[in-house]
């Protein structure tokens, strides 16, 4: 119930700020392509870009040789996922050497411009796409800890991204169809069965990529159940009449499965159904 007012310098034009040490990109994934040109004035020779976004990032298969030695997935080195970067505009504007991956575990919403309502969570995981330690990640982690975050560095940021994706790929799109919170869905045996099937497909896909996901679907669902009544970000967007970020969260997984010729019938069915629903509502980019 605490209200904190913080006055920050703000502008609609990045040129007003000039070159920065770090740029944190916390946009909805489908809005990034239209924003990348506006980020350019912030970027100097050594500026780092932190991608604090949901879903599979556009850079996922850059420097892929350092992430997996799995023969089946080695051919994906440098692959551009159409679901994340349709025309390559993002990768061209935000060079891969700048990127620091981030996974954010916070439940927040923005009820109106300039107002952020924080509900739970302070955890942020940071890591280099090369899976190597770096001074810039260490310094950024310390800065975030000093600001009150529970920030940690990892040597496998792709694995961390996929661990969060396990929940998002299930609960976000299905909530668009049901219109209810996660606890209500998990109390339904049929819904729970669907989530188990989707998670098993996502875990099998991750392990084909060499990400080493060992968590069981049942344990992941049990963790979500403990969080109580969570309204997914995708459902919040639907209720507010905003375009949903379906492709980066679900379409990217469908695309990777297709490239590896792995079956994902549950995820495919949910993706197709939610995409049609979102199109009918005018909320699909």
């Amino acid at each position: 119930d605490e209200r904190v007012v913080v006055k920050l310098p703000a502008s609609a034009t990045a040129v007003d700020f000039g070159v920065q040490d770090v740029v944190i990109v916390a946009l909805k994934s489908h809005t990034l392509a239209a924003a990348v040109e506006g980020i350019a004035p912030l970027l100097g020779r050594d500026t780092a870009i932190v991608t604090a976004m949901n879903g599979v990032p556009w850079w996922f298969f850059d420097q892929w040789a350092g992430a997996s030695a799995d023969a089946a997935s080695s051919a994906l080195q440098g692959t551009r996922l159409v679901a994340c970067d349709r025309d390559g505009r993002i990768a061209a504007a935000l060079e891969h050497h700048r990127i620091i991956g981030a996974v954010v575990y916070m439940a927040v919403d923005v009820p109106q411009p300039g107002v952020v309502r924080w509900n739970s969570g302070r955890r942020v995981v940071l890591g280099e796409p090369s899976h190597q330690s770096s001074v810039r990640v260490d310094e950024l982690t310390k800065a975030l800890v000093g600001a009150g975050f529970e920030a940690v560095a990892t040597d496998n940021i792709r694995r961390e991204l996929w661990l969060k994706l396990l929940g998002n790929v299930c609960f976000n799109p299905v909530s668009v169809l049901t219109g209810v919170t996660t606890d209500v869905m998990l109390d339904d045996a049929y819904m729970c069965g669907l989530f188990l099937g989707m998670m098993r497909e996502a875990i099998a896909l991750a392990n084909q990529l060499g990400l080493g996901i060992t968590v069981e679907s049942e344990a992941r669902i049990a963790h979500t159940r403990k969080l109580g009544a969570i309204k997914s970000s995708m459902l919040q967007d639907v209720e507010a009449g905003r375009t949903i970020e379906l492709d980066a969260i679900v379409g990217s997984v469908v695309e990777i499965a297709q490239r590896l010729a792995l079956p994902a019938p549950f995820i495919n069915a949910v993706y197709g159904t939610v995409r049609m629903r979102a199109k009918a509502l005018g909320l699909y980019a």
Side-chain angles (χ1 to χ4, degrees):
D1 296 323
E2 181 183 3
R3 181 179 178 89
V4 179
V5 178
V6 181
K7 295 186 181 298
L8 298 171
S11 174
T13 306
V15 72
D16 291 341
F17 297 105
V19 171
Q20 303 292 306
D21 295 323
V22 178
V23 175
I24 299 175
V25 179
L27 297 170
K28 294 286 186 178
S29 57
H30 57 273
T31 68
L32 181 55
V36 288
E37 291 182 3
I39 295 174
L42 302 173
L43 306 179
R45 186 188 66 178
D46 299 319
T47 302
I49 297 174
V50 179
T51 56
M53 303 164 67
N54 281 330
V56 178
W58 78 91
W59 51 261
F60 194 80
F61 289 112
D62 290 342
Q63 305 181 52
W64 183 243
S68 171
D70 184 87
S73 64
S74 60
L76 294 177
Q77 160 66 27
T79 294
R80 174 173 60 86
L81 293 173
V82 176
C84 306
D85 189 7
R86 188 170 302 278
D87 57 6
R89 189 190 318 177
I90 299 173
L94 309 180
E95 302 99 328
H96 69 83
H97 70 272
R98 299 185 182 278
I99 302 301
I100 296 174
V103 184
V104 180
Y105 291 99
M106 285 187 284
V108 301
D109 63 280
V110 184
Q112 63 190 71
V115 177
V116 178
R117 184 165 51 203
W118 174 86
N119 298 305
S120 64
R122 299 177 184 273
R123 181 173 170 81
V124 180
V125 184
L126 301 165
E128 295 281 358
S130 64
H131 292 188
Q132 304 294 318
S133 60
S134 71
V135 172
R136 66 180 188 174
V137 167
D138 290 341
E139 290 182 345
L140 182 57
T141 300
K142 290 177 183 177
L144 289 173
V145 169
F149 291 92
E150 296 171 3
V152 296
T154 179
D155 62 359
N156 195 339
I157 190 62
R158 289 177 180 82
R159 182 177 184 275
E160 294 294 331
L161 285 163
W162 207 277
L163 283 171
K164 184 178 182 183
L165 183 67
L166 290 180
N168 284 344
V169 77
C170 299
F171 307 127
N172 270 273
V174 176
S175 70
V176 173
L177 301 175
T178 64
V180 299
T181 53
T182 55
D183 59 328
V184 176
M185 291 190 289
L186 290 174
D187 284 340
D188 183 276
Y190 297 102
M191 286 286 94
C192 203
L194 172 61
F195 294 144
L196 284 171
M198 294 177 73
M199 281 194 186
R200 286 167 184 158
E201 291 174 356
I203 290 172
L205 180 56
N207 290 333
Q208 185 71 23
L209 292 172
L211 297 181
I213 303 293
T214 58
V215 65
E216 296 290 337
S217 302
E218 291 83 357
R220 181 65 176 79
I221 286 177
H223 172 73
T224 302
R225 190 185 293 275
K226 292 178 183 178
L227 300 178
I230 300 297
K231 181 181 290 187
S232 78
S233 60
M234 206 174 284
L235 178 56
Q236 290 179 42
D237 286 341
V238 168
E239 291 179 345
R242 297 189 292 256
T243 302
I244 62 174
E245 53 179 344
L246 181 62
D247 281 337
I249 293 176
V250 189
S252 58
V253 179
V254 170
E255 185 176 345
I256 294 170
Q258 290 173 345
R259 290 178 181 274
L260 292 177
L262 285 179
F266 287 112
I267 295 176
N268 288 345
V270 167
Y271 177 60
T273 306
V274 176
R275 187 171 65 167
M276 185 167 291
R277 175 62 176 155
K279 284 182 177 180
L281 294 172
L283 303 179
Y284 179 72

